[in-house]
Amino acid sequence: MIGDNHQRVTRSSVNSLAFFSHSAYVASFEPRNVSHALSDPNWVIAMHEELENVERNHVWDLVKPPPNCRPIGTKWVFKNKQGEDGMVVRNKARLVAQGFCQKEGIDYEETFAPVARLEAIRILLAFAASKGFKLQQMDVKSAFLNGFIEEEVYVRQPPVFESARFLDRVYKLRKALYGVKQAPRAWYARLKSFLHKSGFVMDSVDKTFFLLSRGGDTLIVQIYVDDIIFGGSSHALVSSFAEQMSREFEMSLMGELQFFLGLQIKQGLEGTFVHQAKYTRDILKKFNMGDSKPMTTSMSTNTALDADEDGEVVDQKEFRGMIGSLLYLTATRPDIQFAVYLCARYQASPRTSHRQAVKRTFRYLKFTTELGLWYSSGSSLSLRGFSDDDHAGCRIDRKSTSGTCQLLGTSLVSWSSRKQDSVALSTTEAEYVAVASCCSQLLWMKATLSDFGLRFGRIPLLVDSTSAISVAKNPVLHSRTKHIDVRFHFLKDHYEKGDIDLIHVVSANQLADIFTKPLEFDAFTRLRGELGVLQVEGVDNALIKGEIESQWTGLIALLV
């Protein structure tokens, strides 16, 4: 039931020519409050659509409040949705319950719902590029309104749209409303149940990945809350799935995957290019770095950051904002990973030297705005990892920095740069800890990819430390390595089981070196290119494909 005021606003809008003249356009501003929103017909339409979605999904019933009922408040949230070009494409008005008022054990029990990791998204993109799948995208309209809830939850009537005849009544929720703590879990349960009934099998590791095998054809589906990526080997199977979803839920079929979670994705015959050029330009503008002098590397080799307690204190809020913006950019820019994570260590008390280091990264982005990850269609689906470390690299506590990366063929899908938890007493120990971390990630990827139908024997793990390899292979050495935490000795177990194969690689070919310390320009750009971080716009994709494969020839030869 929609309130009387809402009906009155809608009728007056429908009867006016302004309603139709504005229906093809969107408002460019975001309202401060409901009154501000009512001043623009486009936002009236948006609120109307939201309340209609609620009614159409039978989310609630208008009832008399039971004794001792403490209904949850509701509020309107207004947000402009932008396209890849930064233009406003939709005015979204969302009716949100004030879930912070809910009491655990009374209004909700479980709230957890799985969310896809970015590594899983990149694995899917690399796999689809290699198999030649054209990925599609769909968006579920008002997804959370589809999830059933078991608890008794009451909410107040929407602000401004209260029923004039039943002001004393409240809404009893039958399904989840945005803002209710159990809403994500309820929506995930509903979608999972539907996919299972449709014949999909859920990944044993990644609970947001589903696969359907029918005859000799395969359909893969990756969900991220209400955004769904799907593709397969059969056009008929893909079309059938899209129709099924449209019948079950109200969908927005967005066609070919192009813009997802802020990632710009271009799919072609030669491969897939994933980048964040728009986001890069936005943060350069946000922090007034658009006119800064470009730099060729993300961090100078002379940079040695420490607490700098005598340095001038800078604005902590601005510094954290810069770091936070850069952290999201590392989703497609592994070349800035080390610089960003090194500067992030000093967010508690940033100084001028730390801010200068961050600005250096922004200046590098000014020089390399269009760079992104290239996933070649000619890439194999073999799995390999690289591991390196910088022993005692932190000048404050002398902890080492681990750098690891994992590739699917020539496609970089996972990487990390992080300070180790404990101080390593030797380079061997530091290397061993880094290798163990890389091994752990490879095992997760191996389990995930098994549900893609990929099977691996010994996974090559390339290390440039012969002593770390000896510790894992030779039991005699373990009497001298008792100071290494026992939890890292699982590396030896997995080597003996045949899960991984430790291979020595010369330091010049150690791709993970870029995640452990600042490098000179030549080494930095060479490793960046070998990781598949390229600028594809305006360049022949076939040439890029050949360039990457030629760079990998020497490394692949080591594994034969």
Side-chain angles (χ1 to χ4, degrees), residues 426-429 431-433 465-484 488-489 491-493 495-496 502:
S426 65
T427 55
T428 299
E429 179 181 350
E431 288 277 5
Y432 195 63
V433 171
S465 170
T466 55
S467 57
I469 295 175
S470 297
V471 170
K473 290 183 176 181
N474 189 355
V476 177
L477 294 176
H478 287 178
S479 61
R480 308 178 207 167
T481 57
K482 289 182 180 179
H483 59 285
I484 300 179
F488 293 113
H489 280 279
L491 179 65
K492 170 182 174 292
D493 295 333
Y495 172 77
E496 293 179 345
L502 297 172

Side-chain angles (χ1 to χ4, degrees), residues 78-185:
F78 305 99
K79 186 70 176 178
N80 284 329
K81 295 196 71 174
Q82 297 181 345
E84 183 179 352
D85 56 1
M87 298 293 291
V88 177
V89 296
R90 183 184 174 193
N91 300 137
K92 178 178 280 189
R94 183 73 74 199
L95 182 64
V96 178
Q98 295 174 327
F100 59 85
C101 298
Q102 290 183 272
K103 303 293 184 181
E104 185 175 3
I106 300 176
D107 299 312
Y108 68 93
E109 296 292 341
E110 295 290 337
T111 62
F112 172 78
V115 178
R117 297 167 57 172
L118 280 174
E119 294 102 316
I121 302 297
R122 290 191 292 259
I123 288 173
L124 177 65
L125 292 172
F127 177 82
S130 178
K131 291 290 187 179
F133 294 174
K134 183 71 73 171
L135 293 176
Q136 307 291 319
Q137 182 180 8
M138 63 172 65
D139 175 72
V140 183
K141 293 182 179 179
S142 303
F144 285 4
L145 304 184
N146 291 280
F148 294 96
I149 61 174
E150 299 177 357
E151 302 85 0
E152 282 195 8
V153 180
Y154 298 89
V155 299
R156 295 190 182 95
Q157 298 183 46
V160 180
F161 298 110
E162 297 92 344
S163 171
R165 291 181 296 170
F166 304 106
L167 288 174
D168 61 330
R169 297 195 178 187
V170 296
Y171 282 110
K172 179 182 178 181
L173 296 184
R174 300 169 59 184
K175 295 183 180 179
L177 192 68
Y178 281 86
V180 175
K181 289 185 179 294
Q182 60 267 52
R185 184 180 182 87

Side-chain angles (χ1 to χ4, degrees), residues 299 303 334-335 337-339 342 345 386-394 399-405 416-420 430-431 434 464 507 510-519 524 527:
M299 180 166 281
T303 301
D335 49 326
Q337 181 90 6
F338 172 75
L342 178 60
R345 299 174 188 175
F386 290 81
S387 172
D388 197 13
D389 88 293
D390 178 31
H391 180 235
C394 181
K399 291 180 180 178
S400 305
T401 299
S402 296
T404 65
C405 60
S416 71
S417 175
R418 62 184 60 182
K419 189 165 66 170
Q420 296 178 3
E431 288 277 5
D464 61 3
S507 297
Q510 177 54 269
L511 301 188
D513 197 32
I514 199 173
F515 301 112
T516 62
K517 55 184 174 291
L519 299 174
F524 182 79
L527 292 178

Side-chain angles (χ1 to χ4, degrees), residues 55-94:
E55 293 296 321
R56 188 164 48 250
N57 285 284
H58 306 291
V59 173
W60 56 26
D61 294 311
L62 190 63
V63 299
K64 291 183 178 180
N68 302 319
C69 173
R70 298 181 62 182
I72 301 168
T74 56
K75 64 175 294 185
W76 286 100
V77 176
F78 305 99
K79 186 70 176 178
N80 284 329
K81 295 196 71 174
Q82 297 181 345
E84 183 179 352
D85 56 1
M87 298 293 291
V88 177
V89 296
R90 183 184 174 193
N91 300 137
K92 178 178 280 189
R94 183 73 74 199

Side-chain angles (χ1 to χ4, degrees), residues 199-213:
F200 283 86
V201 177
M202 184 172 62
D203 192 313
S204 58
V205 178
D206 181 3
K207 304 303 181 182
T208 61
F209 177 81
F210 296 82
L211 184 141
L212 174 66
S213 296

